Amino acid sequence: MIVPEFWAEGRIKARLDDRQVTVRRFGWSDISQEEAQAHADERAKAALKEIAAGEMVEKYEPKMAYNGAEGVPIREEILARHGEAVITRNLYGARCLNTPDVLFADVDFGQSVPLKLSCSVYLTLVAVATALGLWQGSIKVTVISLLIALVVGSPLALLLFRLYEKATGGPRERAHQRIHQFSRQHPDWHLRVYETPKGLRVLVMHTTFGARDEVVQHFFEALDADPIYVRMCRNQHCFRARLSPKPWRIGIREHIRPRPGYWPVKPEHLPARHRWIAAYEAKAQGYAACRFLERLGSSHVHPTADALRIIHDELCQANTTLKLA
């Protein structure tokens, strides 16, 4: 996991096969702006060399905050460091905890009809419509049946999904069951379970992990963790937990300034950014990012995980009755 203090962009131009080519690459450093610039220039030269050799390489590197891109670290404002863990401000202004070895998992509750179910319903209706048309020996009947299938497919899929949700206790109950099942199968694991506005968060306490460890991937799969979160963990070599509310959930409609809030920000934009942050932080105090629910499994606690648990619970206001956001 790398969360640099300094960022720079390197540009290099050259003529390749009678055409002008411009390559841009970012560089970073924890030492100085000059070192970040040197790193950016070095990466730009390396990319140009690859292009000259005929390799398929992007000329411009997109500016992303926490996009999971291979080879580019987390590009967010650093607010605090706690050992190897780093607290940053993300693209939309919330505070986030980034850790290379303390395992968090996000389990979101799916509210929409699964794509697999929708496809199954539509394919079944199309098959029935086609069979009906063939049985009647009429193209007109086939066309009308197919149109009806297209119209009723989505409502039918929604109805089936709601019936399934009711029969299984809903996504929250299924998520709890998956976590409890994992705990029963791995009694040596110490799990802390938190409620989030639209899901659950699990913090693993008994030991530390690497984001690409095979056991971590098994853990994510068993819990059906958010696939975007899983991909980000692998690509950024870290685990992550949001510590403060999402702005739109606490009534802040205006986006962080400047928009988008990529870091670093030009000096002329800092006053507007600071005003937005002050308003956000004042309002965020009345909300919790998650709420502690239960502890499962072993009572063994790794000191690194416990130190981060204290920070996480305090900054998330996880032991309060504040509204989740």
Side-chain angles (χ1 to χ4, degrees), residues 133-149:
L134 292 173
W135 178 59
Q136 292 290 327
S138 169
I139 295 178
K140 183 177 180 180
V141 171
T142 302
V143 172
I144 293 174
S145 299
L146 287 172
L147 289 174
I148 293 174

Side-chain angles (χ1 to χ4, degrees), residues 276-288:
W276 186 96
I277 290 172
Y280 165 77
E281 292 292 355
K283 202 160 188 180
Q285 290 302 310
Y287 297 84

Side-chain angles (χ1 to χ4, degrees), residues 128-175:
V128 171
T130 303
L132 181 61
L134 292 173
W135 178 59
Q136 292 290 327
S138 169
I139 295 178
K140 183 177 180 180
V141 171
T142 302
V143 172
I144 293 174
S145 299
L146 287 172
L147 289 174
I148 293 174
L150 291 174
V151 171
V152 304
S154 183
L156 180 58
L158 179 60
L159 175 62
L160 292 174
F161 179 64
R162 286 178 175 172
L163 290 173
Y164 171 74
E165 293 282 84
K166 186 176 181 180
T168 58
R172 182 181 297 272
E173 180 59 29
R174 291 199 304 276

Side-chain angles (χ1 to χ4, degrees), residues 19 61 64 69 81 109 130 142 239 258 261 263-264 267 299:
R19 61 190 176 94
E61 198 166 52
M64 297 287 184
R81 292 185 183 270
F109 300 147
T130 303
T142 302
F239 307 104
W263 189 258
S299 60

Side-chain angles (χ1 to χ4, degrees), residues 185-297:
Q185 294 172 345
H186 302 81
D188 55 325
W189 283 53
H190 179 173
L191 308 179
R192 287 176 62 86
V193 184
Y194 300 81
E195 179 185 12
T196 62
K198 291 190 176 181
L200 297 174
R201 176 179 296 171
V202 181
L203 167 58
V204 181
M205 296 291 295
H206 66 284
T207 190
T208 55
F209 302 85
R212 294 195 173 191
D213 290 351
E214 186 175 340
V215 66
V216 169
Q217 300 311 307
H218 171 69
F219 174 66
F220 284 155
E221 291 171 6
L223 269 58
D224 194 19
D226 175 23
I228 296 177
Y229 175 78
V230 172
R231 185 172 69 251
M232 296 301 188
C233 287
R234 285 185 58 83
N235 289 344
Q236 293 290 3
H237 300 269
C238 77
F239 307 104
R240 184 168 166 103
R242 181 170 53 82
L243 301 175
S244 63
K246 292 184 175 180
W248 54 91
R249 289 180 179 164
I250 60 175
I252 296 180
R253 303 302 178 189
E254 183 183 4
H255 294 277
I256 189 171
R257 299 296 178 182
R259 185 184 180 192
Y262 296 124
W263 189 258
V265 173
K266 293 181 179 179
E268 59 266 30
H269 296 310
L270 283 175
R273 178 182 174 90
H274 291 159
R275 285 194 298 271
W276 186 96
I277 290 172
Y280 165 77
E281 292 292 355
K283 202 160 188 180
Q285 290 302 310
Y287 297 84
C290 66
R291 180 172 296 115
F292 175 68
L293 294 178
E294 59 182 338
R295 183 189 67 80
L296 300 173

